[in-house]
Amino acid sequence: MPAAPLPVRDGLNPTRLRLPNAQTWPTALAYLLDRFPDDAARLLEKVDAGEIVDQHGSPITRDTGYRPHGFVYLYRDPPVEKRVPFEIEILHRDENLLVVDKPHFLASTPRGAYVVESALVRLRRDLNLPELTPAHRLDRITAGVLVFTIRREARRAYQSLFDERRVTKEYEALARHDPTVQLPVTVRSRIIKERGVLQAREIPGPPNAESRIELIGTRDGIGRYRLLPHTGKTHQLRLHMSSLGLPILGDNFYPEFYDVAGDDYSTPLQLLARSIEFDDPFSGARRRFESRRALEA
């Protein structure tokens, strides 16, 4: 995808809209007003201020004709969000990489109700790093090591490490201890996640998800587990632990979903991305980053 003709602003990328093929609207503005009627006043303000542009960076005016297949770029007004009251700790920074220790309850990237209150937007703003991009992601309610690339030129090399499973990830979790569950064990199953459905699920078929689960220690009926995922399916570790009858403490998705208010921070999911290790694609050196956080039942 070509670079956007508008820069990152306030930590957020501009929105890219593709104009439909049908020649239904006389102007680009007419299409925008039809698509976003509730934002009519702000759209007119943005057009008059020259803040909406085409794919070449030329400002859209009130009279700019509608061009099927074309693109327009604009900044959407960020929502007003309550601040997630936990801070990001920086573990490492160099010319290519920013590695952080993400807290529970903070989204990795803008999504749904969490846009401004995401690790990506916070870090872009606080560190003035407009090209910052995640090399991978963690669930909002999972804490631990999260890797970002700083420069556009380095992005693909590090993202490929994760895409091609050349990264060793180690997680830690707390769950009840059941001495009848034989550990260590490697769990293999077929996991699917349907769009619009909150939970992932296991179905019959060839495995596409694999996790090794080890017991580190026990205390007062609670086990501390080392989780080593070989694949990275959505909610894989949470689902595999639940399938063993050992749902992770604080998990409101598995085995059964129950609703938790977005600002209820009383029961964090006891899952931590403990470490990440890989061979650096530029230097060839082995690199390892470890979380400094601790799980507490």
Side-chain angles (χ1 to χ4, degrees):
M1 182 183 297
L6 292 175
V8 170
R9 187 171 77 177
D10 294 329
L12 294 168
N13 294 318
T15 296
R16 177 177 182 259
L17 298 176
R18 186 179 187 275
L19 302 181
N21 297 340
Q23 180 74 51
T24 305
W25 301 268
T27 64
L29 177 58
Y31 165 71
L32 293 173
L33 292 174
D34 192 26
R35 180 168 176 180
F36 305 107
D38 295 339
D39 294 333
R42 285 292 290 132
L43 286 170
L44 290 169
E45 289 177 2
K46 290 176 182 180
V47 165
D48 291 342
E51 292 186 356
I52 303 179
V53 304
D54 64 16
Q55 61 263 44
H56 306 296
S58 300
I60 299 293
T61 70
R62 294 193 181 213
D63 299 321
T64 300
Y66 182 85
R67 296 182 178 88
H69 305 284
F71 292 93
V72 297
Y73 292 79
L74 71 158
Y75 296 108
R76 302 297 300 273
D77 294 331
V80 177
E81 300 174 37
K82 184 176 180 180
R83 180 175 173 81
V84 176
F86 306 103
E87 302 306 318
I88 305 170
E89 182 179 352
I90 295 176
L91 298 174
H92 172 84
R93 179 176 177 178
D94 59 35
E95 65 172 349
N96 292 323
L97 288 183
L98 179 70
V99 185
V100 304
D101 212 349
K102 187 185 81 68
H104 292 103
F105 302 111
L106 186 68
S108 295
T109 58
R111 186 176 182 182
Y114 306 96
V115 177
V116 175
E117 281 304 291
S118 63
L120 177 62
V121 174
R122 274 198 193 178
L123 291 166
R124 278 179 172 176
R125 285 177 165 180
D126 295 348
L127 302 178
N128 191 25
L129 295 174
E131 294 185 1
L132 194 71
T133 303
H136 67 118
R137 288 171 176 79
L138 293 176
D139 289 344
R140 185 180 71 90
I141 56 176
T142 301
V145 180
L146 184 60
V147 179
F148 294 87
T149 60
I150 291 177
R151 300 186 303 122
R152 180 186 297 272
E153 295 79 9
R155 186 178 304 167
R156 186 66 239 157
Y158 289 101
Q159 288 178 340
S160 294
L161 294 176
F162 291 87
D163 294 342
E164 297 167 7
R165 300 177 187 172
R166 291 186 285 143
V167 175
T168 300
K169 301 177 185 178
E170 180 179 321
Y171 288 72
E172 191 173 306
L174 298 182
R176 73 183 186 90
H177 175 235
D178 184 348
T180 67
V181 178
Q182 296 297 309
L183 297 174
V185 65
T186 298
V187 181
R188 299 181 180 90
S189 68
R190 185 165 192 82
I191 293 177
I192 63 168
K193 175 68 167 63
E194 298 168 343
R195 188 179 183 86
V197 179
L198 293 175
Q199 291 176 305
R201 59 191 180 95
E202 294 175 301
I203 63 171
N208 62 0
E210 179 179 318
S211 310
R212 179 174 174 81
I213 298 171
E214 304 172 355
L215 179 65
I216 301 174
T218 64
R219 181 178 178 182
D220 299 329
I222 301 299
R224 186 176 298 273
Y225 299 87
R226 179 182 295 113
L227 313 179
L228 304 170
H230 179 65
T231 53
K233 293 296 180 181
T234 300
H235 297 176
Q236 174 181 318
L237 294 175
R238 297 160 66 181
L239 192 52
H240 279 171
M241 286 290 287
S242 181
S243 71
L244 292 175
L246 304 172
I248 298 173
L249 297 181
D251 194 344
N252 67 311
F253 273 60
Y254 306 99
E256 299 293 335
F257 174 78
Y258 58 90
D259 194 28
V260 175
D263 59 354
D264 181 351
Y265 309 121
S266 61
T267 311
L269 177 71
Q270 295 301 294
L271 178 62
L272 176 68
R274 172 59 69 193
S275 67
I276 278 180
E277 190 170 354
F278 55 83
D279 292 327
D280 190 276
F282 292 100
S283 69
R286 190 67 174 172
R287 310 189 78 173
R288 179 180 173 87
F289 304 104
E290 295 188 21
S291 173
R292 297 168 184 162
R293 300 183 185 273
L295 296 177
E296 296 180 6

